[in-house]
Amino acid sequence: MGKKTILLLLVGVLGAYYVHIPLPDNVEEPWRVIWMNTQLKTVTNLATFAELLGISHFMNTLMFFMNFQEGPPTSDENVTVTETTFNNVPVRVYIPNRKSKTLRRGLFYIHGGGWCLGSAALFGYDSLSRQTVNRLDAVVVSTNYRLAPKYHFPNQFEDVYNAVRWFLRQDVLDKYGVDPKRVGISGDSAGGNLAAAVTQQLIGDPDIKIKFKIQSLIYPALQTLDMDLPSYQENAHFQSLSKSLMVRFWSEYFTTNRSLENAMLFNQHVPVESSHLFQFVNWSSLLPEKFKKGHIYNSPTHGTSELAKKYPGFLDVRAAPLLADDSKLRSLPLTYVITCQYDVLRDDGIMYVTRLRNAGVRVIHNHIEDGFHAALTYPGFKIKYRIENQYISWLSENL
């Protein structure tokens, strides 16, 4: 066997090792998932390498590559797309072109990206907004917000909240022909986090008379206390959102200081004086039995008070909506929650479903047994169209 043959075999083996990831048997289109995850792994590795060399912050490198997936606001025969600002927050507004004799439904959408990445201009979010407009004959506002690492909590929350307050003004709804009784809010991942937090905050806001009819949360991130939930353990290395990357997103939301990230990775970041908050995220009582199977609940290991004093945001209900007490939850509107089996954030969404139901809120839970994080924005995937169809169908029936 020649040297070239051995070299080719070696390259092939190393390539196969790099590309291969173990996938559950029920994941649809496994080779497409592997290819997408290989791209994600490559970009993540490049971002890590650039940060180690001091060239660029990890998130800035990821954002650089993500910018290639953005497009300008482009109208077509069905939808007029414009960019404007609501309370100085940049938004994209999607308006149906066909005439309507009645007021339309309105949906306020918040993109994901771990509070660090993404925008309303990404092809995946632009496509979703257009599909929502076409199928619901609705007006969609897709918002942007300031991102980490340049901006930290509560900037992201405040941007979205200020844009929502503007949209819910009667004169603004009149301008866009939106029925004030048929306005909803939706978001995925970090956007689901912001949607849940904003909806909670609106409850106690006396200046906002118009409230949301529904909220739709798509694989939302909802708690910062326990990074060792069963879903974090089971899906720690799933490439679409690994445990280490999710913890990095969480920590960057509050600070660029890596000490919080390290403490969160070892689940030792909550001080003993905040231990009462664990009742709101105790998976042993909030998860259905099927999601607890094979796992044993361990009492949390408390961290020092120093991190909480420096970065109090990670214990703030505006950052972690699962920390809201029942008195606030019971006033929330009809809620739709999508969770995916192969997602570190699965249990966040499921625990919120349990707590909302316990508080008397009407909740529809759509659990995708073969789903994984960000599936709704994976272009061309069958699972993307399936989840999108279920999501828009629910909005059609309930908004």
Side-chain angles (χ1 to χ4, degrees), residues 153 224 254 308 310-320:
F153 175 85
T224 53
F254 308 111
K310 282 185 177 180
Y311 317 113
F314 75 84
L315 299 175
D316 192 312
V317 69
R318 295 172 299 168

Side-chain angles (χ1 to χ4, degrees), residues 18 34 183 207 229 236 298 347 377:
Y18 181 80
I34 289 172
V183 185
D207 296 328
L229 300 173
N298 296 313
D347 295 346
T377 51

Side-chain angles (χ1 to χ4, degrees), residues 18-19 21 32-48 58 61-62 65-66 69 117 237-242 245 249 372-375 377-379 381:
Y18 181 80
V19 169
I21 56 169
R32 295 194 73 175
V33 175
I34 289 172
W35 173 238
M36 180 64 74
N37 285 341
T38 300
Q39 295 177 63
L40 291 173
K41 183 193 295 186
T42 301
V43 171
T44 301
N45 288 342
L46 286 172
T48 301
F58 178 80
T61 303
L62 293 184
F65 285 103
M66 192 169 281
Q69 302 174 45
L117 308 171
H237 303 292
F238 206 98
Q239 194 63 40
S240 63
L241 184 65
S242 65
L245 182 56
F249 280 137
F372 46 87
H373 194 80
T377 51
Y378 272 33
F381 281 64

Side-chain angles (χ1 to χ4, degrees), residues 349-362:
I350 295 173
M351 290 194 295
Y352 203 47
V353 167
T354 300
R355 291 206 54 216
L356 289 176
R357 285 175 174 166
N358 290 345
V361 179
R362 290 176 58 210

Side-chain angles (χ1 to χ4, degrees), residues 59 62-63 66 110-119 122 125 145-149 156 187-194 219 221 241 245-246 248-250 252-253 345 373-374 377:
M59 295 300 174
L62 293 184
M63 194 63 176
M66 192 169 281
I110 311 164
H111 72 80
W115 311 276
C116 302
L117 308 171
S119 76
L122 288 171
Y125 293 120
Y145 48 89
R146 286 171 291 177
L147 300 171
Q156 291 84 341
D188 66 296
S189 194
N193 165 280
L194 292 165
Y219 32 77
L241 184 65
L245 182 56
M246 187 61 226
R248 181 73 187 266
F249 280 137
W250 269 125
E252 291 287 345
Y253 191 21
L345 298 179
H373 194 80
T377 51

